[in-house]
Amino acid sequence: MSTTTFDELPDIDAANVVRCARVLLRRPLLRADGTDGDLLPMIYRQRAVLQEVFSSLLGYRLVVERRFARLYKAGTGEDATRGEASLTPRGYAYLALTLAALTGIGRQLLLSRLVSDVRAAAAEAEIAVVDDPADRRALTAALRQLVALGVITETEGSVTAESSAEALITIDTDLLGQLVAGPLAEAGSPEQLIELACAAGPRNLEHAVRRRLVEDPVVLYDDLPPEQSSWLRERVTRESRLLERFFGLVSECRAEGVVVCDPEDYLSDLAFPGPGTVARIALLALPELLSTSDPDAAGKHPVTWQDLTDVCRDLVEAYPAAWSRQATEDHQDLVHSVVGLLRRLGLLQEADGNWLLSPAAHRWLPQPDATPATNREPEPPPAPEPEGWSLFDEMFDEMRGEQR
């Protein structure tokens, strides 16, 4: 597939479009005063091309203004590995309630009034509100998320849900109207909203598959619906070239599926291997976990929770000084953290109560740098240096030879 406008661009402009497309994939809500905001003028100049690229290739809608750009990416469906780390389920509920309370409220208001309106909206939605520390932390996390997105600006004071705190906040109504991507008016239930939010565009099949390739580091044929799997198998080489041309992504095609990598690591929001006890134990656990069972027909290795627990315990006990004491103090918490990391990486999945390790885990099996020599004879000791030997003796001998 090609996009007509993109094909007509000079090489430099085409490279800039790819750069802007990558930034928008990483930051779907891009503000002039936020990270990577210096590219917003370029995005504004190339908005027509970018809108065509995202619409034709992925079925995404792109809105570009002088102050911000908003890429309406599709949702991921029911996926426990995605989401904002600072928000609990209750935090997400408060985020939705806060957006509802802010709609039509004006550009400036006191924080105490906003908190009161949010809790009133919760009561109206029949959501129990308990004014305890956990509840206040959830509401504070939702408010801080809106501050990070630029929707709320702390004009005076600091945004917190503590009852004794007060602040004057300013609302960016333009950004507020761009946040919600799901079709709220069409959904009759939360489940239907999730389904509609992740629905593919007009070209349902190709858009759905490309979105998976762009958003997920590992896409296995066995994890796709049959029609999507067949479509990708037939076009995997062509799709790999397309991803590299428009988004700078490199694909590795294997018998089991496709691994998509970003050579610059810009679009990789989760680095692996990585620092820290959990990441290092997860890396070292992969060889042992792969050896616990034979792969199934799709190349996945079944593992049990006991396998995961035993491997983590063996690593902690074998190298006790290598790990953070805080991370290994509670062994079950460590196992949960390792499992959570492997799931976010797409290397471990739960299916019908069973755990399956992806064939992509073989990418991280350790390889020796060289084959060690066997039965090697010890090297003889160096000959003793002659008495009075100098570093310059050889040079002097050559000079004397030339003189002769």
Side-chain angles (χ1 to χ4, degrees), residues 155-166:
T155 305
E156 292 182 14
S158 179
V159 168
T160 175
E162 294 296 331
S163 57
S164 60
E166 187 58 283

Side-chain angles (χ1 to χ4, degrees), residues 305-346:
W305 188 265
Q306 190 61 47
D307 293 331
L308 294 161
T309 302
D310 292 343
V311 170
C312 290
R313 177 179 289 110
D314 291 344
L315 287 169
V316 171
E317 293 176 353
Y319 312 100
W323 318 119
S324 161
R325 181 178 299 178
Q326 182 179 0
T328 58
E329 189 174 11
D330 188 317
H331 187 69
Q332 282 303 312
D333 281 350
L334 173 64
V335 176
H336 280 283
S337 298
V338 170
V339 168
L341 175 59
L342 293 176
R343 292 186 69 189
R344 291 195 301 275
L345 290 165

Side-chain angles (χ1 to χ4, degrees), residues 89-102 113-131 135 138-139:
R90 191 162 191 84
Y92 271 108
Y94 271 129
L95 180 63
L97 291 167
T98 304
L99 293 178
L102 288 175
R113 179 190 168 187
L114 175 60
V115 171
S116 176
D117 289 350
V118 169
R119 287 177 171 156
E124 184 179 349
E126 299 181 353
I127 298 175
V129 175
V130 181
D131 190 13
D135 190 80
L139 179 52

Side-chain angles (χ1 to χ4, degrees), residues 257-279:
V258 182
V259 175
V260 180
C261 306
D262 178 16
E264 299 179 8
D265 287 336
Y266 176 75
L267 293 177
S268 303
D269 56 347
L270 187 60
F272 189 76
T277 293
V278 172

Side-chain angles (χ1 to χ4, degrees), residues 1 36 51 79 93 134 158 192 229 284 326 329 333 371 374 380 399:
M1 161 164 293
D36 291 326
Q51 286 167 341
D79 187 348
S158 179
Q192 188 179 11
S229 177
L284 294 174
Q326 182 179 0
E329 189 174 11
D333 281 350
T371 302
T374 58
M399 290 177 62

Side-chain angles (χ1 to χ4, degrees), residues 23-24 27-45 47 50-51 61-72 107 149-151 172-180:
V23 170
L24 288 168
R27 309 192 188 283
L29 180 58
L30 184 69
R31 310 191 323 272
D33 58 347
T35 307
D36 291 326
D38 56 316
L39 283 182
L40 192 56
M42 185 186 297
I43 291 173
Y44 187 82
R45 288 194 301 271
R47 61 189 181 280
L50 287 164
Q51 286 167 341
R61 182 166 66 97
L62 174 64
V63 175
V64 182
E65 303 289 346
R66 292 193 178 274
R67 292 194 307 112
F68 65 87
R70 174 69 162 110
L71 179 65
Y72 286 88
R107 295 190 62 87
L149 292 172
V151 175
D172 189 325
T173 54
D174 293 333
L175 280 182
L176 176 64
Q178 301 290 340
L179 283 190
V180 179

